[in-house]
Amino acid sequence: MSRYFAPGNAAEAAELLRTTPGARVVAGGTDLVVAARGGKHPLPEVLVALHRVPELARVRETEAGIILGALTTHTWVERSGLVRSRWSALADAAAMIGSPATRSTGTIGGNLMNASPAMDLGSPLLVLDATVELRRTGGTRALTVAELLAGPGRTTAAPDELLSSVRIPAPVPGTGSAYIRLEHRRAMEIAIVGAAAALRFDSRGEIVAARLALTAAAPVCLRVPAAEAGLLGRRLDAEALAAAGRAAVAAVRPISDVRASADYRRAMTAVVVARALTLAARRAAAGSSVPGPDHPPTATGSVQ
Amino acid sequence: MRYPLNVTVNGLRASADVEPHRSLLSVLREEIGLTGPKEGCDDSECGACMVLLDGEPVNACSYLALQTDGRAVTTVEGVAPADGLHPIQRELLAAGGVQCGFCTPGIVMSAKALLDRNPDCDEDDVRHALAGNLCRCTGYQKIIAAVLRAARQPEHGPADRP
Ligand SMILES: Cc1cc2nc3c(=O)[nH]c(=O)nc-3n(C[C@H](O)[C@H](O)[C@H](O)COP(=O)(O)OP(=O)(O)OC[C@H]3O[C@@H](n4cnc5c(N)ncnc54)[C@H](O)[C@@H]3O)c2cc1C
Ligand code: FES
Ligand code: FES
C-alpha cells in the first residue's frame, strides 16, 4: 500500500528517509513520476514530497558565490540575471531543458540525483566547480559534482541522504563560461552530446584557467583534464580548439542508442567542444554576456 | 491509502481523497469534473493536459495530485471571463487555430502562461512557450499567429489569475 508524506522541513524529510524502508524523495517528479507513467519504473511505495520544505527552495548569494536550494527550478535559473551573467553555462543549460512546464517543475536537485549521463546541468556544474551538500539525520557532508555522480542513474548519496543545496563559487573576474548541446530539434530534446567550458585569459590573450566537461559522452558527465591542461598558456586559435577536441575525443566512452551511434557521438564531441570553448571565450572577452532566457545557444541547424 | 487533497481550482476550493500515485490530471477530470485538460500521451510529451500551478505551466498528467494540496490550479475552464472568451481563445477561433480541438486547452494554458509574464513577446518567444504542446491538425502557424495577436490586445491581462 503506497504512502505519501509532505514534510515541512528538511530535518523531518531526512528522518522519514532514515526510518521508512523504501522511501524515496519526489521534488518536481519530472523524472520520477514521468518514468512511472511511461512504464519505466513503478512509483516507489513511499513518497516523501519535498515541495513544502522552504529551506530547500532558498537561494543565497554571498561574497563567495551562490547557494541554490535543491528545489531551485530550471525556470528560476533561466530567469536569474545574476546566474546568466556570472554562471552563464548553467543558465544556458537550464534554458534548454524540456518545455516551459518541464523547467518550471523540474529542479536542480532532481536533475543531479537522477544522474542521467545526458543531464544538462552536470557539465556546467563541473566546469563551475560546484559542490553539493548532502544531508541526513545527524549531519551533512559536501561533495564535488564529480564525487556525487557514480554512473547512469547512480549517485554516491546514501538512500537516507537528501541533496539539500548546490554551492557555486563566484568566478574569478574575467571568466566566461558556456554550455552547448547537439540536438535534433530546438526544444523537448535530450543532448546527443554536450560540452561546457569555462575560460579566463590574461592581458595578452593567453588562457590562464580552463575547464572543459562533456555530456552524454560517457556513463557520467566528466571533465577532461588533458584538454584543460593543453589549453593553458595559449591563445584560443584553430589549433588550440582542434587539440582540445582531440583530447576530449580520447576521453569519451559513448554509447549507441536511438539518438545517435557511438561513432557519431565521438565525432561530434570535437564539434561541441570547439563551440563551447568559442562561446566561453567570447563571453570572457565581453565581461560575461547574458544569453536571453528564451534563446538558449544550441548547435542545431549548423552541423555540416 | 488515500489522503485528503484541498486545492483551489479556478478560484474555487475543491476537495478529494486521493491515492499517492494519482495524477493531477486524473483528479481534475474524474474527481473534480473538469474535462478541459485532456489526456494525450500521459507522459509529459504532448501538453494536452497543460494547466497552471501557482501561475506556472505544468503537465498535469505527470504531476502528483497530492503535491497541489494548498495551492492554486488554473485550467482552461478558468481563463474566460463570465461574459465571453479570453483573447487567446478568441484569436484562436478567428485565425482557424482550432481544428479537432484536442490540443487547444493545453495550447491556451501555455500561451496564457507566456502572455501573463511577457505580453511583449515575439514569434520566437511564442514558439518556445508552445514547445511542449503538440498539435496534429493545424501545422501551428495559425496558432502562433493567434497568440501573437492576442498579445497585442490590451485586455488579456492577468486579472483572472487566482
Ligand atoms: C518532457 C521532459 C523533458 C526533459 N528534458 C530534459 C532536458 O532537456 N535535460 C535534462 O537534463 N533533463 C530533462 N528532463 C528530465 C528532468 O526534467 C530533469 O532531470 C529535472 O531536473 C528533474 O527534477 P525533478 O525535481 O523533476 O526530479 P524528480 O523527478 O522529483 O526526482 C528525480 C530523482 O531525484 C531524486 N531527488 C529529487 N530531489 C532530490 C533531493 N533533493 N535529494 C535527494 N534525491 C532527490 C528523486 O528521488 C528521483 O530519484 C526532461 C523531463 C521531461 C519530462
Ligand atoms: S497528456 Fe500530459 S503531456 Fe500528454
Ligand atoms: S487542433 Fe487537432 S490537435 Fe491541434
Side-chain angles (χ1 to χ4, degrees):
Chain A
M1 186 175 49
S2 55
R3 287 191 290 156
Y4 172 85
F5 299 92
N9 60 63
E12 207 185 313
E15 188 60 11
L16 279 164
L17 289 183
R18 188 178 73 82
T19 55
T20 324
R24 279 275 293 282
V25 152
V26 57
T30 61
D31 276 315
L32 191 74
V33 178
V34 172
R37 305 218 70 80
K40 248 193 257 167
H41 312 282
L43 270 182
E45 272 299 284
V46 184
L47 290 165
V48 179
L50 295 183
H51 65 286
R52 285 229 177 104
V53 182
E55 62 209 271
L56 296 180
R58 198 172 302 144
V59 174
R60 274 161 294 169
E61 279 173 61
T62 68
E63 278 298 294
I66 194 165
I67 301 172
L68 302 170
L71 293 179
T72 305
T73 63
H74 306 308
T75 293
W76 189 92
V77 171
E78 165 191 29
R79 287 180 190 163
S80 163
L82 184 72
V83 177
R84 295 217 306 271
S85 63
R86 290 188 130 188
W87 299 282
S88 313
L90 184 66
D92 290 343
M96 285 174 197
I97 289 176
S99 69
T102 322
R103 296 194 290 277
S104 64
T105 316
T107 64
I108 188 169
N111 194 259
L112 281 166
M113 293 302 289
N114 192 60
S116 161
M119 64 195 283
D120 284 309
L121 302 191
S123 291
L125 290 172
L126 283 168
V127 302
L128 297 171
D129 294 325
T131 54
V132 299
E133 184 188 79
L134 297 179
R135 170 176 186 152
R136 73 194 327 162
T137 298
T140 62
R141 60 182 176 130
L143 294 181
T144 64
V145 171
E147 288 164 342
L148 177 72
L149 301 176
R154 287 189 295 116
T155 71
T156 54
D160 65 344
E161 277 181 317
L162 276 179
L163 191 151
S164 42
S165 63
V166 177
R167 178 190 294 263
I168 316 176
V172 176
T175 304
S177 70
Y179 176 66
I180 292 283
R181 76 178 184 190
L182 189 72
E183 49 195 358
H184 291 299
R185 52 182 184 175
R186 281 184 65 200
M188 294 292 280
E189 187 56 299
I190 302 290
I192 297 169
V193 285
L199 290 175
R200 188 159 49 85
F201 295 81
D202 65 15
S203 53
R204 290 168 306 174
E206 287 172 3
I207 297 168
V208 290
R211 291 272 191 281
L212 182 70
L214 303 173
T215 307
V220 291
C221 295
L222 79 177
R223 269 179 59 188
V224 191
E228 296 171 355
L231 286 165
L232 295 179
R234 58 196 295 186
R235 293 169 170 281
L236 194 69
D237 52 20
E239 210 177 295
L241 289 173
R246 280 193 301 274
V249 171
V252 303
R253 283 182 290 145
I255 59 164
S256 292
D257 65 9
V258 288
R259 259 173 231 114
S261 67
D263 283 345
Y264 184 68
R265 286 199 160 93
R266 198 173 288 111
M268 289 306 106
T269 295
V271 174
V272 288
V273 161
R275 289 180 186 168
L277 287 168
T278 304
L279 185 55
R282 204 186 309 147
R283 288 178 176 163
S288 223
S289 86
V290 182
D294 291 318
H295 311 283
T298 70
T300 304
S302 40
V303 185
Q304 273 92 43
Chain B
M1 192 142 121
R2 289 172 179 236
Y3 295 83
L5 166 68
N6 292 294
V7 54
T8 301
V9 183
N10 301 331
L12 300 172
R13 293 288 301 271
S15 302
D17 285 330
V18 304
E19 293 91 356
H21 68 268
R22 285 289 294 277
S23 70
L24 173 60
L25 180 65
S26 77
V27 169
L28 286 170
R29 291 179 59 88
E30 292 155 30
E31 312 295 331
I32 302 177
L34 293 173
T35 54
K38 300 286 183 267
E39 182 182 309
C41 63
D42 206 22
D43 197 17
S44 276
E45 289 293 335
C46 74
C49 63
M50 198 72 71
V51 300
L52 304 187
L53 177 61
D54 296 330
E56 298 281 358
V58 57
N59 293 111
C61 69
S62 305
Y63 200 75
L64 296 180
L66 287 172
Q67 285 194 277
T68 66
D69 186 54
R71 301 163 78 181
V73 171
T74 311
T75 70
V76 72
E77 287 91 342
V79 303
D83 58 345
L85 294 174
H86 189 283
I88 296 167
Q89 297 172 306
R90 221 172 37 233
E91 295 299 336
L92 279 169
L93 279 177
V98 178
Q99 287 187 29
C100 80
F102 194 82
C103 68
T104 311
I107 299 268
V108 169
M109 300 319 290
S110 288
K112 177 167 159 44
L114 171 68
L115 299 196
D116 284 351
R117 253 180 41 78
N118 179 17
D120 213 13
C121 52
D122 62 17
E123 180 179 333
D124 214 40
D125 297 328
V126 175
R127 287 183 181 275
H128 266 92
L130 299 181
N133 295 85
L134 298 181
C135 175
R136 297 302 302 264
C137 302
T138 66
Y140 302 101
Q141 304 298 342
K142 292 173 175 178
I143 293 175
I144 289 156
V147 175
L148 282 170
R149 260 201 298 278
R152 295 203 192 97
Q153 299 185 19
E155 6 109 42
H156 71 68
D160 45 342
R161 196 182 250 190

